[in-house]
Amino acid sequence: MNQPITFAICGFGNRGRDAYAVYQKTHPDLMKIVAVADPVPQRLAAARQEYGVDPALCFDSAEALLARPRLADVMIIATQDRQHVPEALAALDLGYHLLLEKPISPELSDCMALLDKANTGAYGNPEITKANIGVGKNPGILVSGHDLKDFEELLEQTAGTGVDVYTHSEMLPAHYYPAFKKYPHFVGNYGNAWWRQREEFATFNGPILFTTNCIVPPRPNAAYADRIYTTGSAGLPGATHIPDRKEGRPKDFSQLIEHAKKCPPPTEIEHGEIVGGFAHHQVLALADKVVDAVKSGAIRKFVVMAGCDGRMRSREYYTDFASALPEDTVILTAGCAKYRYNKLPLGDIGGIPRVLDAGQCNDSYSLVRIALALKEAFGLGSVNDLPIVYNIAWYEQKAVIVLLSLLSLGIKNIHVGPTLPAFLSPNVLKVLADKFGLGTISTVEEDMKNLIYENNDGKHVPEGIGDAVRG
């Protein structure tokens, strides 16, 4: 690099100054501090004297710094914990790259909001999209995981090479972001949830790139074993690992691309389209239509079925549950649990699809935003008064964030299954059951009766939407 990366630092105390700024003293060729915000005059004086920060760019508050156009490449936020997220959201709006001191926030929902802002700020708000599930005629690369930055860089580097790009499992929602629709070689989604890798990767025929977790180790004789590539935090013994970015440059996917050119095109395993892109911005744009459908009785209930999928036969419950839902219900989903029902012919209600896919498991924040917006639209005192029930598919660690975020917002009567989270000891489960009504799934018949039909007699129906809920 010819020039050092420039930094603005909010909070020039123990963390901002002593943990981060000192890097400039040993690596002046890589880092240059150009702006600082702190309410303590002595700290601003240190920024001027020790790091040569222009006095005009020393601010007595983060708000004052963030009121200016972007002043640096990167912003380090090292203020008080509860200030982190508001300042980070403002910094993202201004186009800063972020280094955020831990904890990101004391509130889990704030963390999800920040991730949502980072994704939508970079790639646009997800929009209603029909994703192709067939194949093209060119060799392809299949991308799994969650990292949209990796996906963007791969699309850039494969443009014009004759190699197509496909998503797999949790990467499906990449189809919904406007920024990725300009790439004609972004062909479609291949396959289903992570646990079906062994059969689907064998027929894809080209290289597979894992950007995050959920790798199923191939069998020793698997024909695709030498076609697995990993990057970032993902890794697999024997697989080729794409190194991290260096000096601000994109990752180098050339080896992966050259490998793909030598492979035959994917073998088609299904064809058609699946519809998604119903994150909070898109659903709220349809708010009037949704509210009218509830008020008219066209929609009886929303069923949140977000979460994770797995190979156990007990997870067929979610396919059966979705199939059994009455035609006046709408599923709100995020995460790979959707593959249990997102290809079922469930139809729509007045043009509103009966499966509204918000995106990755990380996008469960959208489901919270939608619920809160509906609460306001109906003038209700609590989100628990809405015609929404929660039937969450539990599997692994990221689902902890989703569950705890819902609980932190006071959402009650969540059902999880088919197994309980490992951290739910009998005592913890009792507390959550007593305080939040947390329960487990049983049979489709019992849960349909308890979750969907419990209000048919008109009891416990929130005032103002009673007619809609009674159906």
Side-chain angles (χ1 to χ4, degrees):
M1 286 182 83
N2 296 323
Q3 298 293 327
I5 297 172
T6 57
F7 285 78
I9 301 179
C10 290
F12 209 60
N14 290 338
R15 293 178 285 183
R17 176 185 175 184
D18 299 336
Y20 298 116
V22 291
Y23 189 81
Q24 177 177 316
K25 293 184 176 181
T26 54
H27 298 85
D29 56 324
L30 299 177
M31 179 181 189
K32 180 173 177 58
I33 302 166
V34 298
V36 168
D38 197 286
V40 179
Q42 293 86 341
R43 294 174 181 173
L44 295 180
R48 295 190 296 269
Q49 295 164 9
E50 295 181 35
Y51 296 95
V53 179
D54 185 336
L57 297 180
C58 291
F59 303 89
D60 61 5
S61 69
E63 291 79 8
L65 193 161
L66 290 164
R68 298 282 296 273
R70 190 178 67 149
L71 299 172
D73 301 315
V74 180
M75 177 169 286
I76 296 174
I77 296 179
T79 51
Q80 297 298 307
D81 296 348
R82 292 193 178 276
Q83 295 175 247
H84 287 177
V85 169
E87 293 167 359
L89 291 172
L92 288 171
D93 278 336
L94 291 170
Y96 284 100
H97 295 284
L98 280 181
L99 193 162
L100 195 55
E101 176 59 32
K102 65 180 189 296
I104 293 174
S105 169
E107 303 295 335
L108 285 167
S109 57
D110 282 350
C111 302
M112 298 170 73
L114 190 57
L115 177 61
D116 176 81
K117 182 68 174 181
N119 284 340
T120 58
Y123 307 117
N125 286 297
E127 55 193 22
I128 300 173
T129 303
K130 293 180 179 179
N132 171 44
I133 56 174
V135 300
K137 297 181 179 180
N138 296 326
I141 295 173
L142 188 60
V143 186
S144 191
H146 306 77
D147 197 312
L148 296 177
K149 184 64 176 177
D150 287 343
F151 191 73
E152 178 187 31
E153 292 179 352
L154 179 65
L155 284 172
E156 282 288 335
Q157 293 175 42
T158 48
T161 64
V163 174
D164 291 337
V165 176
Y166 296 77
T167 56
H168 180 266
S169 191
E170 280 275 52
M171 194 57 81
L172 165 64
H175 290 270
Y176 313 152
Y177 287 96
F180 300 138
K181 294 185 178 184
K182 65 183 179 183
Y183 298 99
H185 62 296
F186 179 18
V187 171
N189 186 76
Y190 192 88
N192 296 276
W194 63 270
W195 60 274
R196 296 181 64 177
Q197 290 174 22
R198 286 175 172 169
E199 57 189 275
E200 293 173 350
F201 288 179
T203 56
F204 183 73
N205 301 329
I208 303 102
L209 174 66
F210 283 95
T211 63
T212 54
N213 58 351
C214 298
I215 302 177
V216 178
R219 294 186 176 93
N221 60 346
Y224 66 87
D226 66 340
R227 292 190 272 113
I228 293 179
Y229 289 75
T230 61
T231 192
S233 61
L236 181 72
T240 301
H241 190 79
I242 305 297
D244 289 338
R245 299 171 186 86
K246 293 182 178 179
E247 298 183 340
R249 293 192 294 266
K251 290 183 180 179
D252 182 1
F253 292 110
S254 58
Q255 182 180 359
L256 172 65
I257 296 168
E258 290 305 311
H259 189 164
K261 291 178 180 179
K262 302 172 185 176
C263 297
T267 300
E268 187 167 271
I269 57 175
E270 56 188 343
H271 63 274
E273 297 173 325
I274 47 180
V275 180
F278 294 94
H280 60 90
H281 184 270
Q282 179 64 82
V283 173
L284 297 183
L286 302 172
D288 290 344
K289 189 174 185 178
V290 172
V291 170
D292 287 345
V294 174
K295 287 183 175 179
S296 70
I299 295 178
R300 178 214 307 263
K301 280 192 177 181
F302 296 94
V303 185
V304 175
M305 293 181 67
C308 307
D309 195 17
R311 64 172 57 86
M312 294 75 72
R313 185 174 295 274
S314 59
R315 290 183 177 270
E316 293 177 2
Y317 161 92
Y318 294 101
T319 304
D320 296 338
F321 186 88
S323 299
L325 285 169
E327 294 182 356
D328 56 1
T329 56
V330 173
I331 295 171
L332 302 175
T333 190
C336 61
K338 63 173 149 276
Y339 285 102
R340 288 288 176 175
Y341 41 79
N342 69 343
K343 297 172 185 176
L344 295 175
L346 297 180
D348 63 81
I349 300 174
I352 301 171
R354 289 192 54 225
V355 177
L356 301 183
D357 176 20
Q360 298 179 342
C361 52
N362 306 317
D363 298 314
S364 295
Y365 168 75
S366 275
L367 305 183
V368 173
R369 286 284 305 273
I370 292 167
L372 293 174
L374 288 175
K375 178 190 74 119
E376 295 301 319
F378 288 116
L380 300 174
S382 169
V383 71
N384 294 303
D385 293 331
L386 285 166
I388 299 180
V389 295
Y390 301 84
N391 194 350
I392 307 296
W394 178 266
Y395 196 79
E396 42 86 303
Q397 66 274 12
K398 288 194 298 297
V400 176
I401 297 176
V402 176
L403 178 60
L404 294 182
S405 295
L406 293 174
L407 295 177
S408 72
L409 293 168
I411 293 174
K412 296 183 177 180
N413 301 317
I414 300 170
H415 284 65
V416 297
T419 55
L420 285 174
F423 71 87
L424 286 185
S425 65
N427 288 338
V428 172
L429 180 59
K430 184 177 186 307
V431 170
L432 293 179
D434 292 344
K435 185 173 182 179
F436 294 99
L438 184 72
T440 58
I441 63 172
S442 56
T443 65
V444 170
E445 293 75 15
E446 278 298 306
D447 292 339
M448 198 64 58
K449 180 175 71 174
N450 294 331
L451 294 175
I452 305 302
Y453 293 108
E454 61 180 348
N455 285 328
N456 269 10
D457 59 0
K459 297 178 181 178
H460 309 299
V461 180
E463 184 178 351
I465 55 174
D467 293 338
V469 178
R470 290 188 190 97

